[in-house]
Amino acid sequence: MLTHSFAELRSMSIEELNDKVAEYSVWKIQLEAFVGQLKSEATSAKLTYEAGLVTTGYTLVKEYEKQGLKPPAEKVREGEALSTNRNLKDIYQIYIEAQARYESMLGKLNSITTAYFSVQEYRTLKTSR
C-alpha cells in the first residue's frame, strides 16, 4: 500500500493518476470487506464476554447472598469474575485482541480512503485545466 507525495502526483500523467485511483479503489474495497469481518469478530467476542460476565456475576451475587453478605459493586464483581473464571478471562483476551485488530485495520482503511479521495480529487483538478 503506497502513498505518494504531492510532487510525485504533480509529475504523473492523467493515465498514471487513473491507475493510482484504480489501485487505491481495489485496496479500499478489500480493506472495507476485511474491516467488516474484523468488526464482526470483535462484536461477537464482546457479546460472548458480556454474556459470560453477566452469568458469572449473577452466580457470585447469589453466593454472597447465600453467605449473608452484601454483594460487592459491579466493577469489583467483574474483577472477581475475571480472576476466578479462567474461561471468561480467555474470552476477554480474545475480545481485546479482536478489537485491537479491528482498530488497526480501520486506521489503515481510513488512510487508504484518504489517499483514494485525494488522488481522485487531484486527478479531477488536473483534467479540468
Side-chain angles (χ1 to χ4, degrees), residues 6-129:
F6 180 68
E8 291 170 315
L9 290 176
R10 286 186 67 188
S11 67
M12 289 182 183
S13 69
I14 299 301
E15 292 77 25
E16 289 172 317
L17 289 170
N18 287 339
D19 288 346
K20 283 296 148 204
V21 169
E23 179 183 341
Y24 287 138
S25 178
V26 169
W27 275 102
K28 188 173 170 309
I29 290 166
Q30 290 174 340
L31 283 172
E32 284 172 348
F34 189 55
V35 165
Q37 177 185 346
L38 291 176
K39 183 176 183 178
S40 175
E41 290 171 10
T43 301
S44 176
K46 179 183 179 186
L47 293 174
T48 302
Y49 167 70
E50 288 174 349
L53 185 59
V54 167
T55 304
T56 304
Y58 177 79
T59 303
L60 288 172
V61 167
K62 289 300 177 190
E63 287 179 20
Y64 277 94
E65 288 174 350
K66 191 186 308 183
Q67 296 173 15
L69 301 170
K70 179 182 174 191
E74 187 176 338
K75 284 294 179 186
V76 174
R77 284 194 313 265
E78 183 176 351
E80 187 174 347
L82 284 169
S83 68
T84 59
N85 186 331
R86 176 72 181 154
N87 208 20
L88 186 61
K89 189 175 183 180
D90 291 344
I91 291 168
Y92 186 63
Q93 186 64 37
I94 290 167
Y95 163 60
I96 290 171
E97 291 169 2
Q99 187 66 29
R101 281 191 305 274
Y102 166 69
E103 294 291 335
S104 173
M105 292 309 285
L106 184 61
K108 290 177 183 175
L109 172 59
N110 290 339
S111 177
I112 202 71
T113 298
T114 299
Y116 168 78
F117 284 115
S118 296
V119 173
Q120 187 179 44
E121 288 175 21
Y122 182 73
R123 179 192 64 183
T124 301
L125 286 173
K126 194 168 184 174
T127 56
S128 66
R129 290 182 189 174

